[in-house]
Amino acid sequence: MNYKIIDKENYYRKGVYRHFTQDCKCSTSMTARIDVTALAVYSKQTGTKFYLNFLYILSKVLNSRDDYRMAYLWQTDELICYDMIHPTQYVFHDDTETCTPVYTEYREDYEKFYRHALEDVEQAKQTREYGLDAANHPNWFDASYISWLSYDALNIELPDGYLYFLPIINWGKYREEGGKLLMPVSVRMNHAVADGYLIANVFRLLEKEIADFVRRDVM
C-alpha cells in the first residue's frame, strides 16, 4: 500500500475541500443507467462472467484518476491519494441470506485479474463468515452487486462528520429498454473530494472503457 500526501494548501479543490470538511460535512451520490449491451454479448460469447468483467472495468475506471483514490487519515489530519485502490466485492449465500466480503486485488492485466477474482469468489463460497477487515484493507473500495433488482435510485448514508472518501459503488440487474441492455449504477463519494462533474465522469468513463474492452482480442 503506497500513497502520496496531498498539500491541502495547493490542492486544486482547496476551497471546496475546506467547506465540505468543516462547514458542511456531507456526501453526494448519483444513479444512472449505462449501456452494457456490448459487454453482455462479449461475456456470453467468451464464456466469461459479466459480473467479473464489469468489476474489472469499474476498478480500471476508479484507478484512472487521483480524485477517485483519495482518503483521509484522521490520526494525522492528512489528505492522501493511494497509488492504487482495489474492489471489495461480495458473495451472497442463498441458504443463509448473508454476504461474505471478498478482498480482490486490482491488476491491470485483465486475465490475471479475472483468474484471481474468480478464485476469490470460489473461496468465499466456502465460508459463512462476514470477515470484514477494513483496518488491514484501507485502500479497498466497496463494490456491491444488487442482483435481484433493476432499481431506479439508491442512496448510501454515512454518519455525519465521517470523512470517508473512497468511492462506494453499487449496481443492479440490467434490463432491456429500447433494444439496449441498461444497467443501474450508483456512485457515492464524499463532497469534499468530488462534485457532480467527477461523479458523472465515472459513468462516462465506464461506457468508454466498456467499448474499449469489448474490442480486445477474445480470451
Side-chain angles (χ1 to χ4, degrees), residues 125-187:
K125 288 180 179 179
Q126 307 306 313
T127 180
R128 296 298 184 271
E129 297 292 330
Y130 185 57
L132 190 66
D133 185 23
N136 292 311
H137 299 82
N139 56 323
W140 262 255
F141 69 91
D142 198 90
S144 183
Y145 174 37
I146 302 173
S147 61
W148 310 277
L149 184 68
S150 183
Y151 61 84
D152 293 314
L154 183 148
N155 190 45
I156 300 292
E157 295 288 347
L158 293 181
D160 289 344
Y162 186 43
L163 300 180
Y164 181 81
F165 291 169
L166 288 173
I168 297 177
I169 313 296
N170 297 85
W171 64 98
K173 290 175 60 176
Y174 56 70
R175 70 187 185 204
E176 185 175 353
E177 296 182 22
K180 297 180 180 179
L181 297 178
L182 302 182
M183 185 174 75
V185 179
S186 300
V187 180

Side-chain angles (χ1 to χ4, degrees), residues 1-3 69-73 75 80 82 84-90 100-107 120 123 130-143 162 164-167:
M1 177 190 63
N2 295 308
Y3 61 81
R69 292 181 274 112
M70 306 293 275
Y72 174 70
L73 302 182
Q75 301 91 334
I80 67 171
Y82 289 113
M84 185 175 291
I85 57 176
H86 312 277
T88 304
Q89 53 171 316
Y90 292 84
T100 295
V102 184
Y103 293 104
T104 294
E105 289 189 12
Y106 169 63
R107 296 168 171 84
D120 292 340
Q123 290 177 7
Y130 185 57
L132 190 66
D133 185 23
N136 292 311
H137 299 82
N139 56 323
W140 262 255
F141 69 91
D142 198 90
Y162 186 43
Y164 181 81
F165 291 169
L166 288 173

Side-chain angles (χ1 to χ4, degrees), residues 41-94:
V41 171
Y42 173 90
S43 301
K44 183 177 181 179
Q45 290 178 341
T46 58
T48 55
K49 294 183 179 298
F50 172 90
Y51 162 79
L52 292 182
N53 290 338
F54 179 74
L55 188 66
Y56 169 78
I57 292 168
L58 173 64
S59 300
K60 184 177 182 180
V61 165
L62 295 181
N63 275 286
S64 69
R65 181 166 178 150
D66 286 1
D67 296 286
Y68 305 135
R69 292 181 274 112
M70 306 293 275
Y72 174 70
L73 302 182
W74 61 268
Q75 301 91 334
T76 56
D77 187 32
E78 289 177 317
L79 175 64
I80 67 171
C81 177
Y82 289 113
D83 291 349
M84 185 175 291
I85 57 176
H86 312 277
T88 304
Q89 53 171 316
Y90 292 84
V91 167
F92 182 76
H93 308 292
D94 290 312

Side-chain angles (χ1 to χ4, degrees), residues 107-132:
R107 296 168 171 84
E108 293 184 16
D109 184 295
Y110 164 70
E111 281 77 13
K112 289 182 179 178
F113 174 87
Y114 188 94
R115 183 173 68 253
H116 286 281
L118 189 60
E119 291 172 355
D120 292 340
V121 168
E122 292 305 314
Q123 290 177 7
K125 288 180 179 179
Q126 307 306 313
T127 180
R128 296 298 184 271
E129 297 292 330
Y130 185 57
L132 190 66

